[in-house]
Protein backbone atom coordinates (compact mmCIF):
# COMPACT_ATOMS: atom_id res chain seq x y z
CA UNK A 1 0.00 0.00 0.00
CA UNK A 2 1.36 3.41 -0.88
CA UNK A 3 2.34 5.87 1.79
CA UNK A 4 -0.27 8.51 2.55
CA UNK A 5 1.90 11.23 4.00
CA UNK A 6 -0.38 13.51 2.09
CA UNK A 7 1.32 16.81 2.75
CA UNK A 8 4.22 15.60 0.61
CA UNK A 9 2.11 14.59 -2.39
CA UNK A 10 1.12 16.53 -5.51
CA UNK A 11 -2.41 17.54 -6.52
CA UNK A 12 -2.64 14.30 -8.48
CA UNK A 13 -2.38 12.46 -5.18
CA UNK A 14 -4.73 11.60 -2.38
CA UNK A 15 -4.92 15.12 -0.97
CA UNK A 16 -8.38 16.45 -0.30
CA UNK A 17 -10.07 13.07 -0.20
CA UNK A 18 -12.49 14.04 2.47
CA UNK A 19 -14.02 17.45 2.93
CA UNK A 20 -17.41 18.12 4.26
CA UNK A 21 -20.29 19.83 5.88
CA UNK A 22 -21.07 19.81 9.54
CA UNK A 23 -24.37 18.52 10.83
CA UNK A 24 -25.84 22.01 10.92
CA UNK A 25 -24.77 22.99 7.41
CA UNK A 26 -26.11 22.06 3.97
CA UNK A 27 -23.87 20.02 1.67
CA UNK A 28 -23.63 22.86 -0.86
CA UNK A 29 -22.79 26.47 0.00
CA UNK A 30 -24.33 27.88 -3.17
CA UNK A 31 -24.11 31.45 -1.89
CA UNK A 32 -20.34 31.32 -2.43
CA UNK A 33 -20.59 30.66 -6.16
CA UNK A 34 -20.51 33.54 -8.63
CA UNK A 35 -22.86 33.26 -11.60
CA UNK A 36 -19.98 32.86 -14.07
CA UNK A 37 -17.70 30.71 -11.89
CA UNK A 38 -16.59 27.19 -12.78
CA UNK A 39 -15.69 25.21 -9.68
CA UNK A 40 -12.69 22.97 -9.08
CA UNK A 41 -14.02 19.42 -8.60
CA UNK A 42 -12.91 16.00 -7.44
CA UNK A 43 -14.44 12.56 -7.89
CA UNK A 44 -12.84 10.11 -5.47
CA UNK A 45 -13.12 6.40 -4.74
CA UNK A 46 -11.88 4.75 -1.52
CA UNK A 47 -11.96 1.02 -0.78
CA UNK A 48 -11.93 0.34 2.96
CA UNK A 49 -10.88 -2.72 4.91
CA UNK A 50 -14.06 -4.11 6.51
CA UNK A 51 -12.54 -4.13 9.97
CA UNK A 52 -11.67 -0.42 9.63
CA UNK A 53 -15.12 0.67 8.43
CA UNK A 54 -16.44 2.28 11.62
CA UNK A 55 -13.15 4.04 12.28
CA UNK A 56 -13.16 5.29 8.71
CA UNK A 57 -16.68 6.67 9.00
CA UNK A 58 -15.76 8.43 12.24
CA UNK A 59 -12.77 10.03 10.50
CA UNK A 60 -15.05 11.25 7.70
CA UNK A 61 -17.46 12.82 10.15
CA UNK A 62 -14.68 14.60 11.98
CA UNK A 63 -13.27 15.98 8.75
CA UNK A 64 -16.70 16.88 7.44
CA UNK A 65 -17.51 18.72 10.66
CA UNK A 66 -14.48 20.97 10.23
CA UNK A 67 -14.37 21.72 6.54
CA UNK A 68 -17.38 23.80 5.56
CA UNK A 69 -17.52 25.40 8.98
CA UNK A 70 -13.90 26.56 8.79
CA UNK A 71 -12.90 26.73 5.12
CA UNK A 72 -14.34 29.72 3.25
CA UNK A 73 -13.44 28.31 -0.18
CA UNK A 74 -14.94 24.84 0.28
CA UNK A 75 -18.30 24.61 -1.50
CA UNK A 76 -19.53 21.02 -1.70
CA UNK A 77 -18.87 17.72 0.01
CA UNK A 78 -20.84 14.53 -0.63
CA UNK A 79 -20.06 10.87 -0.18
CA UNK A 80 -21.81 7.52 -0.12
CA UNK A 81 -21.28 3.79 -0.34
CA UNK A 82 -21.25 2.01 -3.72
CA UNK A 83 -24.61 0.37 -4.41
CA UNK A 84 -22.92 -2.85 -5.48
CA UNK A 85 -19.66 -3.10 -3.51
CA UNK A 86 -19.68 -2.97 0.32
CA UNK A 87 -17.01 -0.77 1.92
CA UNK A 88 -16.32 1.05 -1.35
CA UNK A 89 -17.07 4.76 -1.04
CA UNK A 90 -17.55 7.45 -3.68
CA UNK A 91 -16.95 11.17 -3.08
CA UNK A 92 -17.73 14.42 -4.85
CA UNK A 93 -16.06 17.67 -3.78
CA UNK A 94 -16.04 21.27 -5.04
CA UNK A 95 -13.90 24.29 -4.22
CA UNK A 96 -13.66 27.90 -5.31
CA UNK A 97 -10.62 27.31 -7.47
CA UNK A 98 -7.52 25.23 -6.98
CA UNK A 99 -6.53 27.62 -4.20
CA UNK A 100 -9.51 26.47 -2.18
CA UNK A 101 -8.44 22.87 -2.53
CA UNK A 102 -4.85 23.69 -1.57
CA UNK A 103 -6.01 25.59 1.51
CA UNK A 104 -8.09 22.59 2.52
CA UNK A 105 -4.96 20.41 2.57
CA UNK A 106 -3.40 22.82 5.09
CA UNK A 107 -6.26 22.66 7.60
CA UNK A 108 -5.98 20.99 11.04
CA UNK A 109 -8.90 18.66 10.36
CA UNK A 110 -7.18 17.51 7.18
CA UNK A 111 -4.05 16.84 9.22
CA UNK A 112 -6.14 14.58 11.45
CA UNK A 113 -7.39 12.80 8.32
CA UNK A 114 -3.77 12.34 7.18
CA UNK A 115 -3.04 10.53 10.42
CA UNK A 116 -5.90 8.11 9.82
CA UNK A 117 -5.09 7.67 6.12
CA UNK A 118 -1.51 6.80 7.03
CA UNK A 119 -2.66 3.91 9.22
CA UNK A 120 -3.25 1.52 6.27
CA UNK A 121 -7.09 1.48 6.21
CA UNK A 122 -7.46 0.88 2.43
CA UNK A 123 -7.59 -2.35 0.41
CA UNK A 124 -6.29 -0.57 -2.72
CA UNK A 125 -4.85 2.78 -3.67
CA UNK A 126 -7.39 5.61 -3.71
CA UNK A 127 -8.66 6.80 -7.09
CA UNK A 128 -8.78 10.60 -7.44
CA UNK A 129 -9.89 12.59 -10.49
CA UNK A 130 -9.53 16.38 -10.66
CA UNK A 131 -11.49 18.54 -13.10
CA UNK A 132 -13.01 21.97 -13.61
CA UNK A 133 -16.68 22.24 -14.55
CA UNK A 134 -17.36 22.49 -18.28
CA UNK A 135 -19.57 25.50 -17.53
CA UNK A 136 -20.73 27.26 -14.37
CA UNK A 137 -23.06 24.78 -12.74
CA UNK A 138 -26.54 25.40 -11.48
CA UNK A 139 -28.81 23.24 -9.32
CA UNK A 140 -31.65 21.25 -10.77
CA UNK A 141 -35.24 21.46 -9.57
CA UNK A 142 -34.48 19.14 -6.63
CA UNK A 143 -31.40 21.08 -5.55
CA UNK A 144 -33.12 22.33 -2.40
CA UNK A 145 -33.03 18.76 -1.04
CA UNK A 146 -29.23 18.66 -0.88
CA UNK A 147 -28.12 18.28 2.72
CA UNK A 148 -31.68 17.53 3.89
CA UNK A 149 -31.98 13.88 2.91
CA UNK A 150 -30.02 11.08 1.29
CA UNK A 151 -29.88 11.50 -2.51
CA UNK A 152 -29.11 9.09 -5.35
CA UNK A 153 -25.84 9.91 -7.14
CA UNK A 154 -23.62 8.84 -10.02
CA UNK A 155 -19.89 9.32 -10.54
CA UNK A 156 -18.96 8.62 -14.17
CA UNK A 157 -15.71 8.41 -16.17
CA UNK A 158 -15.92 8.76 -19.96
CA UNK A 159 -13.03 8.38 -22.43
CA UNK A 160 -13.73 10.11 -25.73
CA UNK A 161 -12.08 9.56 -29.09
CA UNK A 162 -10.27 12.82 -29.97
CA UNK A 163 -12.03 13.09 -33.32
CA UNK A 164 -15.43 12.80 -31.59
CA UNK A 165 -14.76 15.40 -28.92
CA UNK A 166 -16.90 18.21 -30.35
CA UNK A 167 -19.83 15.88 -31.05
CA UNK A 168 -19.52 14.47 -27.55
CA UNK A 169 -19.62 17.88 -25.89
CA UNK A 170 -22.65 18.94 -27.90
CA UNK A 171 -24.54 15.75 -27.03
CA UNK A 172 -23.69 15.78 -23.32
CA UNK A 173 -24.44 19.48 -22.88
CA UNK A 174 -27.87 18.91 -24.41
CA UNK A 175 -28.63 16.07 -21.98
CA UNK A 176 -27.36 18.18 -19.09
CA UNK A 177 -29.55 21.14 -20.05
CA UNK A 178 -32.60 18.92 -20.33
CA UNK A 179 -32.02 17.29 -16.97
CA UNK A 180 -31.50 20.57 -15.12
CA UNK A 181 -34.43 22.42 -16.68
CA UNK A 182 -37.09 19.76 -17.21
CA UNK A 183 -36.69 17.09 -14.54
CA UNK A 184 -38.25 17.73 -11.11
CA UNK A 185 -36.14 15.03 -9.43
CA UNK A 186 -32.74 16.21 -10.73
CA UNK A 187 -30.65 17.99 -8.10
CA UNK A 188 -27.33 18.30 -9.99
CA UNK A 189 -25.71 17.36 -13.30
CA UNK A 190 -22.20 18.55 -14.16
CA UNK A 191 -19.05 17.36 -15.87
CA UNK A 192 -15.57 18.47 -16.83
CA UNK A 193 -12.37 17.31 -18.49
CA UNK A 194 -9.69 15.57 -16.43
CA UNK A 195 -6.94 17.95 -15.31
CA UNK A 196 -4.20 15.64 -16.60
CA UNK A 197 -5.74 13.39 -19.27
CA UNK A 198 -7.12 15.07 -22.42
CA UNK A 199 -10.45 13.73 -23.68
CA UNK A 200 -11.19 11.98 -20.39
CA UNK A 201 -14.28 13.46 -18.75
CA UNK A 202 -15.76 13.03 -15.28
CA UNK A 203 -19.42 13.48 -14.41
CA UNK A 204 -21.46 13.92 -11.27
CA UNK A 205 -25.24 13.52 -11.27
CA UNK A 206 -27.65 13.68 -8.35
CA UNK A 207 -31.36 12.85 -8.12
CA UNK A 208 -33.98 12.90 -5.40
CA UNK A 209 -34.02 9.11 -5.38
CA UNK A 210 -33.45 6.07 -7.57
CA UNK A 211 -36.82 6.61 -9.26
CA UNK A 212 -35.75 10.10 -10.30
CA UNK A 213 -32.79 8.64 -12.14
CA UNK A 214 -34.97 6.00 -13.80
CA UNK A 215 -37.28 8.77 -15.01
CA UNK A 216 -34.28 10.68 -16.36
CA UNK A 217 -33.43 7.67 -18.52
CA UNK A 218 -36.91 7.86 -20.11
CA UNK A 219 -36.69 11.49 -21.27
CA UNK A 220 -36.34 12.67 -24.86
CA UNK A 221 -33.04 14.41 -24.14
CA UNK A 222 -31.59 11.25 -22.63
CA UNK A 223 -32.83 9.26 -25.64
CA UNK A 224 -30.80 11.59 -27.86
CA UNK A 225 -27.75 11.06 -25.61
CA UNK A 226 -28.24 7.30 -25.92
CA UNK A 227 -28.42 7.64 -29.69
CA UNK A 228 -25.10 9.46 -29.64
CA UNK A 229 -23.52 6.73 -27.50
CA UNK A 230 -24.55 4.17 -30.09
CA UNK A 231 -22.24 5.85 -32.66
CA UNK A 232 -19.08 4.46 -30.96
CA UNK A 233 -17.60 7.75 -29.67
CA UNK A 234 -15.62 6.25 -26.76
CA UNK A 235 -12.06 4.95 -26.76
CA UNK A 236 -12.55 2.62 -23.79
CA UNK A 237 -15.39 1.41 -21.56
CA UNK A 238 -17.09 3.91 -19.28
CA UNK A 239 -17.03 3.55 -15.53
CA UNK A 240 -20.34 4.32 -13.78
CA UNK A 241 -20.81 4.07 -10.02
CA UNK A 242 -24.12 4.53 -8.18
CA UNK A 243 -24.42 5.53 -4.53
CA UNK A 244 -26.68 7.26 -2.02
CA UNK A 245 -25.28 10.11 0.03
CA UNK A 246 -24.57 9.48 3.68
CA UNK A 247 -25.85 12.48 5.58
CA UNK A 248 -25.11 13.67 9.13
CA UNK A 249 -27.11 11.92 11.83
CA UNK A 250 -29.31 15.00 12.25
CA UNK A 251 -30.92 14.45 8.82
CA UNK A 252 -30.76 10.68 8.53
CA UNK A 253 -33.96 8.70 8.29
CA UNK A 254 -34.36 5.22 9.84
CA UNK A 255 -32.05 2.80 8.07
CA UNK A 256 -33.52 0.68 5.28
CA UNK A 257 -31.44 -2.02 3.63
CA UNK A 258 -31.13 -0.89 -0.01
CA UNK A 259 -31.49 -3.22 -2.96
CA UNK A 260 -28.44 -3.20 -5.23
CA UNK A 261 -29.05 -1.08 -8.30
CA UNK A 262 -28.72 -3.16 -11.46
CA UNK A 263 -28.61 -0.55 -14.23
CA UNK A 264 -30.63 -1.77 -17.19
CA UNK A 265 -30.76 1.78 -18.49
CA UNK A 266 -27.33 2.07 -20.08
CA UNK A 267 -25.14 -0.25 -22.09
CA UNK A 268 -22.04 -1.29 -20.10
CA UNK A 269 -18.93 0.23 -21.61
CA UNK A 270 -20.80 2.82 -23.65
CA UNK A 271 -21.09 5.61 -21.10
CA UNK A 272 -23.67 6.85 -18.64
Amino acid sequence: MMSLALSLLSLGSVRGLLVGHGAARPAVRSSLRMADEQLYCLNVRLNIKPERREEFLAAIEANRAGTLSAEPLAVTYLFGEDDMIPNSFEFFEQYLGRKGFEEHTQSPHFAAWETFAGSDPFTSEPEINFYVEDAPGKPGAAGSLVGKQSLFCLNVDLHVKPERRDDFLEALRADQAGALTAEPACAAYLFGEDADKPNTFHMFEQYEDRTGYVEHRKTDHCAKWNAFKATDPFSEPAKVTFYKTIEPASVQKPAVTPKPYTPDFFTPGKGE
Side-chain angles (χ1 to χ4, degrees), residues 14-243:
V14 188
R15 289 180 128 189
L17 293 177
L18 299 173
V19 299
H21 58 284
R25 286 185 174 270
V28 179
R29 288 199 275 176
S30 58
S31 61
L32 293 179
R33 178 199 287 271
M34 302 297 290
D36 59 349
E37 188 161 18
Q38 295 160 261
L39 297 181
Y40 189 72
C41 305
L42 290 76
N43 287 2
V44 179
R45 184 179 185 89
L46 299 178
N47 297 306
I48 309 302
K49 294 177 178 178
E51 66 273 19
R52 303 296 301 277
R53 177 188 176 94
E54 295 306 317
E55 186 182 358
F56 169 73
L57 290 172
I60 291 172
E61 292 300 337
N63 199 7
R64 153 151 84 183
T67 300
L68 289 188
S69 62
E71 296 181 31
L73 300 183
V75 177
T76 303
Y77 171 75
L78 299 169
F79 82 95
E81 189 168 12
D82 189 309
D83 249 16
M84 303 293 289
I85 306 174
N87 300 309
S88 183
F89 292 84
E90 295 283 326
F91 297 78
F92 172 67
E93 309 171 31
Q94 287 181 305
Y95 300 87
L96 290 171
R98 175 169 167 165
K99 178 182 177 182
F101 172 72
E102 292 174 337
E103 289 187 0
H104 164 68
T105 65
Q106 305 302 314
S107 66
H109 43 272
F110 183 78
W113 163 250
E114 280 189 314
T115 299
F116 171 77
S119 67
D120 195 28
F122 307 118
T123 61
S124 61
E125 293 190 2
E127 300 174 27
I128 311 97
N129 296 304
F130 297 85
Y131 59 102
V132 175
E133 291 176 296
D134 175 67
K138 65 177 183 178
S144 62
L145 298 176
V146 175
K148 298 179 181 179
Q149 67 179 60
S150 181
L151 298 178
F152 187 73
C153 302
L154 293 75
N155 283 2
V156 183
D157 301 331
L158 298 173
H159 309 275
V160 182
K161 294 177 180 178
E163 66 273 18
R164 301 300 306 278
R165 177 189 176 95
D166 290 345
D167 292 343
F168 163 79
L169 289 171
E170 181 180 0
L172 188 55
R173 287 166 181 161
D175 189 44
Q176 177 189 42
L180 292 174
T181 60
E183 297 182 30
C186 181
Y189 186 132
L190 61 89
F191 70 94
E193 188 170 15
D194 189 280
D196 300 310
K197 294 173 283 187
N199 299 310
T200 292
F201 290 83
H202 308 291
M203 299 176 62
F204 170 74
E205 297 179 49
Q206 189 176 50
Y207 299 87
E208 181 176 357
D209 51 23
R210 190 189 310 266
T211 300
Y213 175 70
V214 172
E215 292 302 312
H216 163 69
R217 302 299 303 181
K218 298 177 182 178
T219 62
D220 290 342
H221 48 269
C222 191
K224 293 177 182 178
W225 167 242
N226 287 334
F228 169 77
K229 291 189 297 179
T231 66
D232 194 30
F234 302 114
S235 59
E236 62 182 86
K239 182 175 182 179
V240 184
T241 306
F242 301 90
Y243 60 101

